[in-house]
């Protein structure tokens, strides 16, 4: 993984994130000093992507506790298990509220709460419980990269096999894959999910071209995916969100691969706004539609997509565009960042950050455990079998 393609870096207790609001023109690492700054970075989308926000939340708890363990005198919340429990529970609740749709954030905070509760219920004292939470928080971040590589390989191999089985010679010149949003190293702890699948195809000589939508209004595609693909030197083409239908009509596309923020038990999948549009068009053109996400993205408590909470972002984010003023100054530090208003003021805006793709439009769900498909004739998945 290239150094620039890192969403979070740590050095002992020090956590820094790349401010993704400034990418791709300026790479600025911002130190996250405490849980409030972690919450703010997630809410303001300085860091984004379901696995990355879960990692930052978990690491911020680990860092908070390791700093506390070194304080002399120790803070009051380390005086007893009861004090530690109420202190950490409040911090976890606060982090959990930063963004509602991605289940990973809730899964990470619930996992740390479990470690907390189990520690408190055991004979361990507050310092030992704190140590266990620190370890678990770091693990949440570390385990992400390994599983991304696994699911990327499963997904790429499944796709190759899909086209071989179809009997067509499609893919002989390389598989062309469309993706939405940004699901690469910037959205995860490394390698990525759907973008990982594309990277794996490239690394194994099986990729034709990667196509990606701009993904308005935050422009994860044109700012972040473009930057990652360019850095990795993967052949790629950007399209505007409105061009998916045209692309499918005029170019051979072998798959749409996307990530996920939350997958319901029946396979309905919440992902970046615009994913549903691509899925409808993929079905119309008989293009396999693949969701690539860690197993922790499956929320068995949510039976179907209508119960997934969808975040609506502030209207101003859909009325403005971020970037640097052209011509581009050679030195990044001299580049002038600008947020430009594109609309009249005070208009009414509909700005959901995610949409839900019904399971019946999804050909395969790829996790680190393997590839799930729907049974013949069925419109939904039974994901309880793989979780
Ligand atoms: O609003 P964002 O940028 O956090 O949304 C990101 C997505 O929708 C991604 O596709 C998803 O989180 C998976 S990232 C591996």
């Amino acid at each position: 993984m290239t150094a620039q393609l890192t969403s979070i870096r740590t050095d002992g207790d020090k956590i820094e994130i790349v401010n993704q609001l400034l990418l791709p023109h300026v790479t600025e690492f911002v130190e996250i000093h405490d849980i409030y700054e972690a919450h703010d970075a997630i809410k303001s989308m300085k860091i984004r992507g379901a696995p990355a926000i879960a990692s930052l939340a978990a690491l911020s708890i680990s860092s908070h506790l390791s700093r506390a363990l070194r304080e002399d005198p120790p803070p009051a919340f380390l005086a007893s298990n009861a004090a530690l429990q109420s202190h950490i529970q409040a911090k976890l609740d606060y982090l959990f509220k930063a963004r509602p749709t991605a289940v990973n954030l809730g899964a990470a905070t619930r996992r740390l709460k479990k470690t907390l509760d189990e520690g408190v219920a055991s004979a361990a004292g507050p310092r030992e419980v704190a140590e266990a939470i620190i370890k678990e928080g770091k693990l949440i971040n570390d385990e992400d990269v390994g599983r991304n590589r696994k699911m990327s390989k499963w997904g790429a191999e499944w796709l190759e096999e899909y086209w071989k089985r179809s009997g067509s010679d499609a893919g002989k010149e390389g598989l062309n894959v469309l993706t939405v949003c940004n699901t690469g190293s910037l959205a995860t702890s490394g390698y990525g999910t759907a973008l990982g699948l594309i990277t794996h195809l490239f690394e194994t000589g099986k990729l034709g071209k990667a196509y990606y939508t701009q993904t308005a209004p935050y422009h994860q595609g044109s700012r972040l995916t473009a930057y990652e693909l360019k850095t990795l030197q993967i052949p790629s083409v950007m399209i505007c969100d409105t061009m998916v239908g045209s692309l499918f009509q005029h170019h051979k596309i072998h798959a749409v691969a996307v990530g996920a923020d939350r997958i319901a038990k029946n396979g309905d999948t919440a992902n970046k706004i615009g994913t549903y549009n691509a899925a409808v068009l993929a079905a119309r053109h008989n293009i396999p539609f693949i969701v690539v996400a860690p197993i922790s993205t499956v929320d068995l408590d949510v039976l179907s997509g209508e119960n997934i909470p969808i975040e609506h972002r502030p209207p101003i984010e859909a009325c403005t565009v971020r970037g640097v003023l052209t011509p581009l100054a050679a030195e990044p530090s001299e580049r002038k960042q600008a947020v430009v208003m594109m609309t009249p003021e005070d208009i009414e805006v509909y700005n959901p950050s995610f949409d839900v793709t019904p399971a019946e439009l999804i050909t395969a769900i790829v996790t680190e455990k393997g590839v799930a498909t729907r049974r013949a004739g069925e419109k939904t998945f039974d994901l309880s079998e793989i979780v």
Side-chain angles (χ1 to χ4, degrees), residues 45 48-51 99 181 183 187-188 193 220 260-261 271-272 354:
M45 291 176 70
R48 31 65 50 198
R99 287 190 81 188
C181 194
T183 59
T188 62
T193 57
Q220 286 93 335
D261 285 81
N271 190 49
K272 182 49 53 194
F354 303 94

Side-chain angles (χ1 to χ4, degrees), residues 1-2 5 184-185 191 195-196 198-200 202-203 225-235:
M1 187 180 45
T2 322
L5 297 184
S185 296
Y191 204 72
L195 208 57
I198 289 172
T199 306
H200 185 87
F202 172 68
E203 288 170 347
T225 299
Y227 175 59
E228 291 207 31
L229 290 169
K230 208 163 171 257
T231 306
L232 298 169
Q233 301 184 334
I234 295 179

Side-chain angles (χ1 to χ4, degrees), residues 42 45 48 96-101 105 311 313 353-354:
I42 295 169
M45 291 176 70
R48 31 65 50 198
F96 170 70
K97 289 192 188 117
R99 287 190 81 188
T101 301
L105 184 57
E311 174 185 19
R313 299 289 303 173
S353 197
F354 303 94

Side-chain angles (χ1 to χ4, degrees), residues 153-174:
K153 185 171 179 291
W154 295 134
E157 287 173 356
W158 180 87
L159 184 62
E160 275 178 67
E161 204 40 51
Y162 176 96
W163 283 107
K164 263 191 211 146
R165 270 201 323 266
S166 79
S168 86
D169 61 1
K172 279 239 166 74
E173 314 218 322

Side-chain angles (χ1 to χ4, degrees), residues 123-142:
R127 297 188 83 87
E128 267 174 275
V129 178
E131 295 281 8
I133 299 170
I134 293 167
K135 208 166 145 203
E136 195 69 10
K138 290 184 176 164
L139 194 64
I140 289 173
N141 178 49
D142 293 345

Side-chain angles (χ1 to χ4, degrees), residues 24 30 68 70 77 83 93 96 114 121 130 146 195 205 243 275 281 286 301 311 331 335 337 348-349 356:
V30 185
R70 285 200 307 273
F77 69 80
D93 290 346
F96 170 70
K114 189 164 172 264
L195 208 57
M243 297 170 187
T275 302
L281 284 160
N286 288 319
D301 294 336
E311 174 185 19
E331 285 305 314
R335 292 179 184 169
Q337 286 284 331
E348 207 176 308
V349 175
V356 175

